[in-house]
Amino acid sequence: MAEASGSPVAEDASGVPVAVAASGSPVERDAHGEPVVVDAVSAPDADGKPRRTTRRFPSFTRDTARPEGGGRAASSDAPAPARQWPILTVLTAVGLGLLLTALDVFRFGTILIGVALLAGAAMRWVLPDVGMLAVRSRFTDMVTYGVLGVAIVLLAMMAQPNPLLEIPFLDDTLHFTIRT
């Protein structure tokens, strides 16, 4: 038999039901009949063992929660670069884009940087674990990588001279803002 709170119920010597904690000891009650929390068990720590803490927010934070999907992208037997292949892929493409930009292939280099960020957003959406590519929640990472990637690609395509993409109202806005 279980109580509404989910804790098991036992009977004392007189046959009165008494709530029992997970450890098997009776749950203490205050004057109003509410259970008294002696030591709450929180989420598991880094070793997977539950920690005994209070539900009160700590005055000094020692750890942060790992973002969803922030686990290893490969098994723990694999070497470190193989476990972090998603972020290494994005960083390699961004590095190549920066190198091309430095070598005077500006438009293609910056488009490659934007495409690398869009690939990071796609990996964050598709893959369950992306290692260090996961910084925030999955949704926030996808939106951040996606918006920055699209903005960089569009700006690279609109760069002068000979833009690949012309948006008339942006040209009018630019001329209006720098007109003296």
Side-chain angles (χ1 to χ4, degrees):
M1 182 174 192
E3 194 176 73
S5 65
S7 60
V9 176
E11 293 181 358
D12 64 2
S14 62
V16 177
V18 176
V20 178
S23 63
S25 60
V27 174
E28 295 181 73
R29 304 253 178 207
D30 64 7
H32 303 290
E34 295 295 319
V36 176
V37 178
V38 179
D39 55 349
V41 177
S42 70
D45 62 5
D47 299 327
K49 296 179 183 174
R51 286 181 295 181
R52 296 200 177 280
T53 61
T54 65
R55 294 182 61 137
R56 180 173 289 194
F57 190 76
S59 59
F60 179 72
T61 305
R62 294 190 180 105
D63 195 11
T64 57
R66 179 181 290 172
E68 55 185 297
R72 294 181 175 115
S75 70
S76 60
D77 300 343
R83 291 191 307 256
Q84 298 299 331
W85 69 267
I87 194 157
L88 290 176
T89 303
V90 172
L91 288 177
T92 301
V94 168
L96 183 60
L98 289 172
L99 179 66
L100 289 173
T101 303
L103 294 175
D104 245 1
V105 189
F106 172 78
R107 190 180 317 269
F108 187 71
T110 51
I111 288 175
L112 183 60
I113 292 170
V115 168
L117 288 172
L118 291 172
M123 282 191 275
R124 192 69 174 100
W125 182 35
V126 172
L127 300 175
D129 291 321
V130 291
M132 289 174 31
L133 188 62
V135 178
R136 300 161 210 91
S137 69
R138 186 176 308 272
F139 176 77
T140 305
D141 280 344
M142 286 178 1
V143 168
T144 304
Y145 295 146
V147 167
L148 289 174
V150 166
I152 290 172
V153 168
L154 288 177
L155 288 172
M157 293 175 68
M158 292 170 28
Q160 297 290 334
N162 304 324
L164 299 175
L165 178 67
E166 292 186 26
I167 301 177
F169 74 87
L170 288 179
D171 191 38
D172 295 338
T173 305
L174 179 65
H175 289 297
F176 178 74
T177 57
I178 61 173
R179 184 175 23 164
T180 55

